[in-house]
């Protein structure tokens, strides 16, 4: 099923992102947070009013998740930070132990218990030095696959029983069982290279029907997979490099989508007029409220 005609993707704001990422619906504030990694920018957008604002991060910023005490927990190149929206202030919280100096943090999610799952990657996108971690009770520990050049996700199901990990250059999405006690062994969920050989799976998100949506970098689309890993829908965009999607809005049926321009040549921009923008479409299925990150 192709949802292009019914979904009608639209541009919300053109922010000229080099590497837009990390779309996350903040249900309490009723806004979308997203980042531009390469330009060190943390954005938020209010769909009710159209208002938006940007804060400058001290380093490359991969993600920002609503956390305790009105703060956000953010993944920057050199570790975890908090961001205080009221005072527009970033503060270093901790390093990620053992991370190579050439790595940075890339994508993240929360689970129903408020744990934060995130990945690291080689900033040059060549060395297989990335791995996944969990942040729990103020501590970071490795959890999930390792030896990956570009990690994306994770994404967790509404029930908290499944977690998805993406190996972008390997064109694979993996799934593992998840409980309050931890994560099990990951197995292959979907080989996106078999679907679109020249596109790469980027940020995933799970909807209320336990289907997985993923942006397809170089693919001009998002794809929706059934719980069994079969493609059941796609939405195409006027942007080539689709990075991350989240489901939000009052009924959790608005899909907010981030895009990138860093790999576009100057002559390619007219072909992709929505590149670098925050996009949206009306989803046929709802998402669900994500838990706030627990800082301690």
């Amino acid at each position: 099923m192709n949802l292009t005609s019914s979904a009608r993707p639209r541009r919300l704001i053109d922010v000229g992102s080099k590497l837009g990422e990390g779309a996350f619906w903040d249900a309490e504030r009723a806004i979308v947070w997203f980042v531009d990694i390469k330009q060190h920018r943390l954005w938020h957008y209010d769909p009710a009013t159209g208002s938006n604002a940007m804060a400058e991060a001290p380093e490359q910023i991969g993600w920002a998740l609503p956390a305790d005490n009105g703060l956000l927990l953010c993944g920057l190149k050199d570790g975890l930070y908090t961001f205080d929206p009221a005072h527009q202030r970033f503060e270093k919280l901790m390093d990620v132990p053992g991370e190579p100096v050439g790595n940075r943090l890339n994508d993240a999610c929360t689970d129903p218990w408020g744990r934060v799952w995130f990945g690291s990657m080689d900033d040059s996108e060549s060395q297989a030095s990335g791995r996944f971690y969990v942040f729990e009770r103020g501590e970071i520990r490795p959890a999930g696959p390792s030896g990956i050049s570009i990690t994306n996700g994770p994404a967790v199901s509404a029930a908290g029983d499944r977690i998805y990990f993406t190996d972008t250059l390997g064109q694979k999405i993996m799934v593992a069982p998840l409980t309050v006690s931890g994560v099990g062994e990951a197995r292959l969920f979907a080989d996106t290279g078999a679907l679109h050989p020249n596109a790469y799976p980027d940020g995933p998100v799970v909807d209320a029907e336990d289907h997985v949506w993923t942006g397809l970098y170089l693919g001009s689309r998002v794809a929706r997979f059934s719980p069994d890993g079969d493609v059941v829908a796609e939405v195409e965009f006027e942007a080539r490099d689709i990075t991350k999607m989240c489901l939000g809005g009052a009924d959790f049926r608005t899909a907010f989508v981030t895009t990138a321009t860093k790999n576009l040549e100057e002559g390619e921009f007219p072909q992709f007029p929505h590149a670098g923008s925050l996009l949206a479409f009306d989803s046929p299925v709802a998402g669900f409220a994500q838990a706030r990150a627990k800082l301690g």
Side-chain angles (χ1 to χ4, degrees), residues 30-193:
I31 61 175
V32 181
W33 295 100
F34 64 102
V35 301
D36 181 349
I37 296 173
K38 293 302 180 183
Q39 298 192 89
H40 305 185
R41 294 173 177 173
L42 170 60
W43 286 92
H44 74 264
Y45 172 79
D46 182 342
T49 64
S51 63
N52 59 90
M54 182 268 292
E56 293 277 359
E59 247 296 353
Q60 293 186 74
I61 176 170
W63 47 270
L65 303 173
D68 299 332
N69 302 322
L71 301 176
L72 273 67
L73 180 65
C74 306
L76 273 66
K77 184 180 186 301
D78 61 341
L80 301 187
Y81 284 67
T82 59
F83 175 71
D84 182 348
H87 298 94
Q88 298 287 288
R89 185 171 60 239
F90 286 89
E91 290 190 5
K92 182 75 174 285
L93 184 64
M94 59 175 33
D95 294 320
V96 179
E99 271 296 288
V101 68
N103 275 16
R104 65 171 174 82
L105 304 189
N106 191 49
D107 198 8
C109 73
T110 57
D111 67 19
W113 302 280
R115 297 178 296 196
V116 177
W117 300 82
F118 65 93
S120 66
M121 61 170 282
D122 175 26
D123 196 30
S124 69
E125 303 180 4
S126 59
Q127 301 299 314
S129 57
R131 68 163 309 136
F132 291 97
Y133 296 91
V134 63
F135 172 74
E136 182 180 16
R137 298 188 181 95
E139 297 183 352
I140 296 171
R141 65 179 183 274
S146 60
I148 298 171
S149 178
I150 301 177
T151 63
N152 262 294
V156 174
S157 63
D161 59 347
R162 281 183 165 196
I163 184 167
Y164 298 87
F165 303 99
T166 297
D167 174 354
T168 294
L169 289 186
Q171 296 178 297
K172 292 177 174 57
I173 302 172
M174 295 160 280
V175 63
L178 185 66
T179 68
V180 68
S181 301
V183 62
E185 185 174 352
R187 60 172 176 82
L188 181 66
F189 171 72
D191 179 352
T192 67

